[in-house]
Amino acid sequence: MWNEKFGGEDYFYGTQPCQWLVMNRHRFGRGQALAIGDGEGRNGVYLASQGYHTTSLDQSEVGLEKAKRLAAANGVRLTTWHADLADTNLIDDQYDLIAAIYAHLPQPLRATTHAQCASALKPGGLFILEAFHPLQLNYRSGGPKTEDLLYRADAICEELKGLTIVDALEGRTELSEGSGHRGMGYVTRIVARRD
Ligand SMILES: C[S@@+](CC[C@H](N)C(=O)[O-])C[C@H]1O[C@@H](n2cnc3c(N)ncnc32)[C@H](O)[C@@H]1O
């Protein structure tokens, strides 16, 4: 499904990063970053442009090829990791920042992935997530059409065991991300830190 969606010349979610990631740049440091479910790489490329040694992980090889092209066009280095999160073991204490932007994983994979992300952060590391909330089913700006793939903030916070929740927000926002996310939407936004 994702290879098909990313098959066109254009970038389905655009080439600009998620605004929530940009709004958190004052919290950025340096080091290793991982963007899970990074698709065509807009967020991984942004993190690389901010000085992180960044890896974009995705199950779509078509998306990752476009991520490499986007990185080259922006003059940044990006490592790609073609993998299904269901078969992936993240190494503990590895990353200074992990971004999970609209990854929309089903349970129980979502919970195991978030637990792995929490352990994979170094002390001081940041976890930044944006995803659609179940109330997005009332909007037409994109996202999964079934509630099991939509994220409530309290549930995500529960899954990030051991991390300090810095922001846990739910609400309406106007999206302008390629043709994939366009118009008013209802999102969940999390920032968590490993102390
Ligand atoms: C809605 S797209 C978001 C892409 C990107 N994060 C963005 O915001 O532009 C969801 C992405 O998650 C990836 N994905 C979904 N399930 C996955 C899994 N089990 N393992 C790896 N990637 C996955 C898809 O291939 C797709 O690229």
Side-chain angles (χ1 to χ4, degrees):
M1 165 193 169
W2 288 106
N3 277 342
E4 226 169 88
K5 226 166 210 176
F6 296 149
E9 265 311 299
D10 59 328
Y11 281 71
F12 193 69
Y13 299 109
T15 55
Q16 298 304 308
C18 167
Q19 276 309 297
W20 180 235
L21 205 51
V22 177
M23 284 160 68
N24 278 287
R25 67 186 182 279
H26 62 286
R27 295 182 164 133
F28 289 179
R30 286 283 183 272
Q32 302 288 329
L34 174 70
I36 62 167
D38 199 34
E40 299 164 303
R42 64 189 178 113
N43 297 304
V45 166
Y46 173 67
L47 291 170
S49 78
Q50 298 300 299
Y52 283 103
H53 297 286
T54 306
T55 299
S56 286
L57 183 157
D58 206 280
Q59 66 187 358
S60 166
E61 63 273 30
V62 174
L64 291 178
E65 278 308 313
K66 287 170 85 175
K68 285 183 201 166
R69 291 214 294 275
L70 187 61
N74 282 272
V76 296
R77 294 183 64 157
L78 181 74
T79 302
T80 56
W81 183 1
H82 180 220
D84 186 330
L85 285 161
D87 306 320
T88 302
N89 284 314
L90 301 180
I91 299 170
D92 286 356
D93 304 328
Q94 179 89 349
Y95 297 105
D96 299 280
L97 188 152
I98 298 178
I101 307 296
Y102 294 105
H104 288 293
L105 302 170
Q107 290 287 28
L109 176 59
R110 187 183 92 185
T112 55
T113 298
H114 289 161
Q116 276 200 50
C117 287
S119 310
L121 285 174
K122 293 179 191 166
L126 283 178
F127 177 81
I128 302 179
L129 175 145
E130 179 165 304
F132 286 116
H133 184 274
L135 287 177
Q136 175 65 11
L137 293 173
N138 300 320
Y139 295 81
R140 295 181 173 190
S141 48
K145 301 297 172 230
T146 56
E147 188 154 348
D148 57 315
L149 289 171
L150 296 164
Y151 290 16
R152 289 181 195 280
D154 55 355
I156 304 302
C157 294
E158 272 290 304
E159 292 166 3
L160 295 171
K161 287 195 184 22
L163 300 190
T164 298
I165 304 300
V166 179
D167 286 305
L169 307 171
E170 299 178 343
R172 278 158 49 107
T173 190
E174 192 170 42
L175 297 168
S176 176
E177 303 184 314
S179 59
H181 293 159
R182 186 153 290 275
M184 194 55 73
Y186 208 102
V187 301
T188 290
R189 290 173 162 174
I190 306 285
V191 175
R193 188 178 53 234
R194 180 166 172 204
D195 289 327

